């Protein structure tokens, strides 16, 4: 290299020209660019050199202007077509002659620029360039075209994002879905999300922080998510919509009902049938009747909806219910195990309609034990659709026209006493119900442990015992539910605790989880030697499974599920129910904290239930007006059973954080219910 030689080098991958000024050491040269800036280059850093001519830094801009008209990449296609026929390679000087019919220094450099930037027609081999094969050029053209299309899609996608953020209405394109899905995954799962790159690219392009929280906020700003989007539900594997295929099967089933496999149903439409539920309940799956027999005995009837009338084991509706396992009850609404057209329609025991049912006929002895029972596939006609409040009022005032209800309530009370004599363990803890209405208002109610609720609960437990005894007697593999005997604290220790929630909380801590098995076993807290859940087949797959088995046995058919199949299904049921329970708990917790956030000025009466970690002063308190149990850290001496007045000092539902502080009694206004 000589002083005055024009050379090319790369600076941060950008093409730069400079003029050699002087050597630096043995191999390096100091060069000066058109801005007068000096650079120290090793010969290996020089990518092109114009020999035998002398330039000054001031000449560089004119040199670049001179070559500009010749930098059309499309001109290489003609040269490629000529050279690919012979397979000859070329260099910048030869390419300049071929393209421009001259090989001046500027034109040779222009040819070099075209060849070195080209990724389609030529590939470099040493200091020469070989034409690519035609099939390779075709494939590269396709790839370049696809990349250009992706770039166009990306730019139009960003344009739609910006338009939406500006308040304009846009129509999202199918090509946007993958990118929006990636943002949703990142907002939901954070660093555990797969294929995060499109989400990070979008956030970076919008100059937003590349965090899950930022992705969450973007989805809110785009109107795709609510500020209260249920992340616990999104993190689960629980499906929230029914597939097109399932809905097609549903509509066909409604239009062409299947043949009833239990055609010889017992006609019980003459019985007065009471259905008792919350006012908001739409899946009516149980009803009660009282029948006076000719000998004066009283027979209780527990009618359970028969959804198996509308499906067969292994069909699309059954498999979908098996996949979901349970109906989820969330503050914002329910996610059904069956499509609502079926679940609230022909599957339910709707008032005034003749419905298919599985009816349990039970005669109790004077103590409340089961004296006799039978199970029937039946036809019933629900007479009254009552709420728990309706029934409590009717029982309180002794409505003579509905004396059957009073009689059923007496049997329920006797039944409860009988179970207690068998070792049943009653735990009475306030239970809250969190509801979010269509306007986004949040309400928290305490479910009263009323006579009507106890009545229904006892009748459902009775049906579960009868179904289990039937299954045990006939050796049916059904999901028997058992609970090991708990190891309770000594009675003297329990009696030292205040009666009510504090004592019940201490007992609850000792209760082991119930277990599913095809082998009958005792259920300790219910005080029953055998038990299965059978009363909610529209909402729980384990109940539906028991219906399938019992109905098949009643009609003398082969059982649809073998013992091994039932065992496999129980494993699926257990894991899915656990996931659903977690989602329900976390969702209720979120909306409970949101309710407290919106009512942060209120003072709540609380009861200290127990220590969680006494050495850290962390205890569990019950907000008595709401039935909510929340952990709290104390800064004073306190004991289980102490009452206190609390006010929210900090709450963040998204982060699952709440902190209270105590207030003096005189600060407390009238409690809010």
């Amino acid at each position: 290299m000589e002083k005055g030689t024009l050379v090319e080098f790369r600076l941060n991958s950008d093409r730069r020209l400079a003029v050699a000024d002087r050597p630096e050491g043995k191999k390096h040269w100091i060069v000066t660019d058109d801005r007068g800036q000096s650079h120290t280059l090793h010969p290996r850093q020089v990518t092109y050199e114009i020999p035998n001519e002398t330039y000054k830094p001031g000449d560089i801009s004119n040199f670049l202007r001179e070559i500009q008209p010749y930098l059309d990449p499309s001109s290489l296609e003609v040269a490629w077509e000529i050279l690919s026929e012979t397979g000859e390679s070329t260099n910048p000087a030869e390419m300049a002659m071929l393209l421009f019919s001259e090989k001046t220094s500027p034109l040779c450099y222009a040819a070099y620029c075209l060849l070195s930037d080209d990724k389609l027609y030529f590939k470099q081999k040493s200091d020469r360039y070989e034409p690519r094969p035609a099939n390779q050029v075709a494939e590269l053209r396709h790839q370049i075209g696809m990349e250009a299309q992706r770039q166009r899609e990306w730019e139009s996608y960003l344009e739609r994002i910006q338009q939406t953020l500006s308040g304009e209405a846009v129509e999202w394109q199918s090509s946007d879905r993958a990118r929006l899905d990636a943002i949703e995954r990142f907002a939901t799962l954070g660093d555990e999300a797969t294929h995060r790159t499109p989400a990070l690219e979008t956030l970076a392009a919008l100059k937003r922080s590349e965090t899950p929280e930022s992705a969450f906020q973007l989805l809110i700003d785009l109107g795709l998510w609510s500020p209260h989007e249920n992340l616990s539900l999104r993190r689960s594997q629980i499906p929230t919509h029914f597939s097109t295929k399932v809905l097609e099967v549903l509509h066909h089933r409604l239009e062409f009902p299947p043949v009833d496999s239990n055609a010889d149903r017992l006609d019980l439409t003459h019985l007065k049938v009471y259905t008792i539920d919350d006012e908001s309940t739409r899946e009516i799956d149980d009803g009660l009747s009282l029948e006076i027999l000719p000998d004066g005995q009283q027979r209780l009837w527990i009618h359970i909806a028969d959804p198996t009338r509308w499906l067969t084991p292994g069909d699309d509706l059954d498999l979908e219910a098996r996949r979901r396992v349970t109906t989820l009850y969330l503050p914002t609404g329910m996610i059904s195990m069956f499509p609502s057209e079926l679940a609230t329609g022909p599957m339910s025991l709707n008032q005034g309609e003749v419905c298919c049912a599985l009816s349990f006929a039970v005669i109790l002895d004077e103590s409340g034990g089961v004296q006799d029972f039978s199970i029937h596939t039946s036809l019933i006609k629900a007479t009254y659709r009552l709420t728990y409040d309706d029934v409590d009022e009717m029982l309180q005032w002794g409505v003579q026209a509905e004396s059957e209800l009073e009689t059923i309530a007496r049997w329920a009370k006797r039944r409860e006493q009988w179970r207690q004599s068998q070792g049943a363990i009653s735990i009475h803890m306030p239970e809250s119900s969190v509801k979010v209405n269509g306007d986004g208002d949040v309400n928290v109610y305490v479910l009263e442990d009323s006579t009507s609720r106890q009545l229904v609960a006892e009748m459902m437990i009775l049906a579960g015992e009868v179904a289990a005894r039937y299954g045990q007697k006939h050796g049916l593999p059904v999901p028997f539910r058992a609970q090991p005997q708990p190891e309770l604290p000594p009675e003297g220790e329990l009696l030292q605790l205040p009666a009510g929630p504090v004592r019940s909380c201490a007992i609850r801590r000792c209760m082991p989880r119930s277990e599913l098995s095809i082998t009958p076993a005792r259920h300790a807290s219910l005080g029953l030697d055998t038990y299965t859940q059978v009363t909610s087949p529209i909402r729980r797959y384990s109940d539906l499974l028991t219906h399938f088995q019992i109905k098949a046995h009643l009609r003398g058919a082969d059982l649809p599920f073998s013992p091994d199949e039932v065992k496999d299904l129980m494993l699926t049921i257990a894991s899915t129910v656990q996931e659903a329970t977690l989602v329900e708990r976390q969702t209720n917790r979120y909306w409970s904290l949101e309710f407290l956030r919106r009512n942060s000025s209120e003072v709540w009466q609380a009861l200290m239930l127990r220590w969680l970690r006494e050495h850290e002063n962390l205890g569990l308190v019950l907000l008595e007006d709401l039935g909510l149990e929340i952990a709290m850290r104390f800064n004073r001496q306190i004991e289980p059973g102490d009452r206190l007045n609390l006010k929210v000092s900090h709450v963040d539902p998204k982060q699952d954080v709440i902190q209270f502080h105590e207030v003096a009694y005189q600060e407390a206004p009238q409690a809010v219910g």
Side-chain angles (χ1 to χ4, degrees):
M1 187 185 304
E2 300 291 335
K3 179 179 174 63
T5 302
L6 185 62
V7 298
E8 181 197 85
F9 66 100
R10 301 281 175 157
L11 184 64
N12 298 325
S13 76
D14 292 333
R15 191 190 299 276
R16 299 291 290 272
L17 291 179
V19 175
D21 183 29
R22 64 186 184 278
E24 174 76 8
K26 293 184 178 180
K27 295 185 178 180
H28 289 79
W29 271 82
I30 303 294
V31 298
T32 305
D33 62 21
D34 56 340
R35 302 172 188 174
Q37 294 179 335
S38 297
H39 306 270
T40 303
L41 301 180
H42 188 279
R44 283 195 301 269
Q45 294 175 270
V46 174
T47 51
Y48 190 84
E49 181 178 332
I50 300 176
N52 305 322
E53 294 188 32
T54 301
Y55 291 85
K56 296 177 181 178
D59 299 331
I60 295 175
S61 56
N62 290 331
F63 184 88
L64 290 173
R65 276 195 297 272
E66 188 176 347
I67 69 168
Q68 199 62 40
Y70 301 97
L71 298 179
D72 180 8
S74 63
S75 63
L76 282 179
E77 184 175 3
V78 175
W80 171 78
E81 288 176 350
I82 295 171
L83 294 174
S84 61
E85 290 181 3
T86 61
E88 295 179 32
S89 64
T90 187
N91 60 24
E94 294 169 3
M95 180 60 71
M97 284 298 297
L98 185 59
L99 293 178
F100 315 125
S101 302
E102 288 186 70
K103 53 178 181 179
T104 63
S105 294
L107 293 179
C108 288
Y109 181 65
Y112 161 76
C113 290
L114 290 172
L115 287 168
S116 60
D117 287 344
D118 175 56
K119 298 293 185 290
L120 178 60
Y121 298 109
F122 294 89
K123 58 183 176 182
Q124 186 174 5
K125 199 166 186 180
S126 188
D127 58 350
R128 298 188 67 80
Y129 295 83
E130 296 180 347
R132 297 180 187 273
N135 60 345
Q136 198 174 97
V137 170
E139 176 60 27
L140 288 171
R141 264 204 192 103
H142 174 72
Q143 292 177 9
I144 292 170
M146 292 296 293
E147 181 57 35
Q149 180 181 339
R150 281 192 290 270
Q151 184 61 28
R152 288 192 299 272
E153 289 176 352
W154 165 251
E155 291 170 356
S156 61
Y157 158 74
L158 286 180
E159 185 178 353
R160 283 187 290 275
I161 291 274
Q162 295 287 11
Q163 288 173 334
T164 305
L165 294 175
S166 300
E168 298 180 40
V170 302
E171 184 174 343
W172 297 107
Q173 303 299 306
S174 57
S175 57
D176 301 333
R177 192 64 256 172
R179 293 187 176 97
L180 295 174
D181 285 346
I183 299 172
E184 291 184 355
R185 280 195 304 274
F186 185 50
T188 303
L189 300 172
D191 291 338
E192 296 179 10
T194 57
H195 308 300
R196 299 194 307 273
T197 302
L200 299 176
E201 288 174 343
T202 302
L203 292 168
L206 297 174
K207 294 182 171 53
R208 298 193 178 204
S209 60
E210 297 172 26
T211 64
E213 294 76 17
S214 180
F216 189 103
Q217 187 59 48
L218 174 59
L219 292 165
I220 294 172
D221 295 343
L222 292 173
L224 299 175
W225 276 14
S226 154
H228 304 289
E229 193 70 23
N230 192 333
L231 292 183
S232 60
L233 178 60
R234 284 186 167 273
R235 291 183 186 117
S236 74
Q237 300 299 311
I238 297 169
T240 56
H241 297 89
F242 290 95
S243 67
T244 302
K245 180 182 179 183
V246 169
L247 293 178
E248 288 173 353
V249 171
L250 157 71
H251 294 135
H252 184 269
R253 197 68 51 90
L254 291 172
E255 188 174 356
F256 304 101
V259 175
D260 189 355
S261 57
N262 292 80
D264 57 342
R265 291 179 180 271
L266 180 64
D267 190 342
L268 298 176
T269 54
H270 62 283
L271 292 178
K272 187 184 290 186
V273 178
Y274 303 93
T275 65
I276 308 171
D277 286 284
D278 286 311
E279 188 173 356
S280 61
T281 301
R282 294 293 174 262
E283 297 176 346
I284 314 296
D285 51 14
D286 58 79
L288 303 173
S289 298
L290 179 73
E291 182 184 17
I292 308 299
L293 301 178
D295 61 1
Q297 279 192 307
Q298 296 175 342
R299 175 187 284 159
L300 294 167
W301 285 94
I302 304 149
H303 311 288
I304 307 301
D306 183 11
T308 63
R309 162 70 180 87
W310 294 88
L311 59 152
T312 55
D315 70 10
D316 290 306
L317 289 173
D318 173 54
L319 294 177
E320 181 66 15
R322 201 180 297 182
R323 186 165 75 103
R324 292 169 177 255
V325 168
T326 184
T327 292
L328 257 71
Y329 293 94
L330 305 176
T332 48
M334 68 179 187
I335 301 174
S336 298
M337 188 171 77
F338 287 109
S340 60
E341 294 95 325
L342 268 182
T344 64
M347 284 184 175
S348 283
L349 305 182
N350 291 312
Q351 181 179 355
E353 298 178 8
V354 176
C355 307
C356 294
L358 189 62
S359 295
F360 298 78
V362 188
I363 297 175
L364 299 177
D365 61 29
E366 286 302 311
S367 67
V370 176
Q371 177 179 306
D372 189 26
F373 72 84
S374 58
I375 305 176
H376 311 268
T377 53
S378 64
L379 293 174
I380 68 164
K381 189 173 184 179
T383 315
Y384 297 113
R385 187 194 190 291
L386 302 174
T387 66
Y388 291 109
D389 289 340
D390 292 336
V391 175
D392 285 327
E393 187 174 334
M394 293 166 74
L395 292 174
Q396 181 181 354
W397 294 103
V399 179
Q400 292 301 312
E402 305 303 334
S403 59
E404 294 93 337
L405 269 178
E406 193 170 344
T407 304
I408 295 172
R410 282 200 303 270
W411 280 117
K413 187 63 179 176
R414 194 173 300 178
R415 177 72 183 163
E416 181 186 19
Q417 292 168 347
W418 176 84
R419 287 195 305 106
Q420 288 176 345
S421 73
Q422 303 300 305
I425 302 169
S426 298
I427 301 175
H428 298 289
M429 292 290 295
E431 185 179 348
S432 65
S433 173
V434 187
K435 299 291 183 185
V436 181
N437 66 22
D439 296 327
D441 296 329
V442 190
N443 292 289
V444 181
Y445 310 94
V446 178
L447 299 179
E448 299 295 337
D449 195 10
S450 64
T451 302
S452 60
R453 290 185 185 275
Q454 292 170 354
L455 181 159
V456 172
E458 284 299 330
M459 291 298 104
M460 298 306 105
I461 293 170
L462 176 57
E465 181 191 2
V466 168
R469 287 174 62 169
Y470 184 90
Q472 183 178 27
K473 177 181 178 181
H474 299 288
L476 306 184
V478 298
F480 293 99
R481 188 170 287 274
Q483 185 184 44
Q485 192 68 30
E487 294 184 12
L488 297 179
E491 186 174 355
E493 185 178 322
L494 284 175
L495 290 175
Q496 290 178 5
L497 295 172
V502 175
R503 191 178 298 171
S504 291
C505 184
I507 296 173
R508 185 182 64 185
R509 286 188 67 192
C510 303
M511 300 304 295
R513 288 185 178 180
S514 59
E515 304 164 348
L516 290 179
S517 169
I518 62 170
T519 304
R522 179 172 171 77
H523 196 293
S525 64
L526 294 180
L528 300 177
D529 290 332
T530 184
Y531 176 70
T532 185
Q533 288 183 318
V534 74
T535 57
S536 295
I538 305 177
R539 314 176 193 187
R540 290 192 300 248
Y541 194 82
S542 60
D543 301 42
L544 189 76
L545 178 55
T546 302
H547 274 234
F548 274 132
Q549 301 289 75
I550 290 177
K551 283 182 60 182
H553 188 268
L554 286 173
R555 66 176 180 268
D558 292 336
L559 298 182
F561 299 98
S562 69
D564 286 340
E565 288 172 327
V566 174
K567 286 180 183 178
D568 290 342
L569 283 170
M570 287 191 305
L571 290 174
T572 301
I573 289 169
S575 62
T576 306
V577 165
Q578 186 176 8
E579 183 177 36
T581 301
L582 179 62
V583 169
E584 287 180 337
R585 185 184 302 124
Q586 291 175 339
T587 306
N588 275 286
R589 165 83 175 180
Y590 174 89
W591 284 107
S592 298
L593 296 192
E594 177 62 17
F595 173 83
L596 291 168
R597 186 188 70 80
R598 297 183 188 186
N599 294 275
S600 57
S601 62
E602 299 290 346
V603 177
W604 306 102
Q605 293 182 356
L607 175 67
M608 163 57 164
L609 292 176
R610 68 178 179 90
W611 288 110
L612 296 173
R613 293 192 293 273
E614 188 170 2
H615 65 285
E616 297 179 14
N617 294 323
L618 186 67
L620 184 67
V621 299
L622 170 68
L623 304 186
E624 295 180 284
D625 298 318
L626 304 176
L628 298 177
E629 297 178 29
I630 295 181
M632 176 179 174
R633 200 174 300 279
F634 297 95
N635 55 13
R636 67 174 177 90
Q637 289 293 320
I638 192 168
E639 297 295 334
D642 288 352
R643 281 187 159 79
L644 53 159
N645 296 295
L646 300 179
K647 197 172 183 179
V648 172
S649 54
H650 172 67
V651 60
D652 186 341
K654 282 191 177 68
Q655 298 300 319
D656 191 27
V657 171
I658 185 166
Q659 295 169 357
F660 292 99
H661 67 274
E662 282 192 72
V663 297
Y665 180 75
Q666 56 266 27
E667 279 189 56
Q670 185 68 30
V672 177

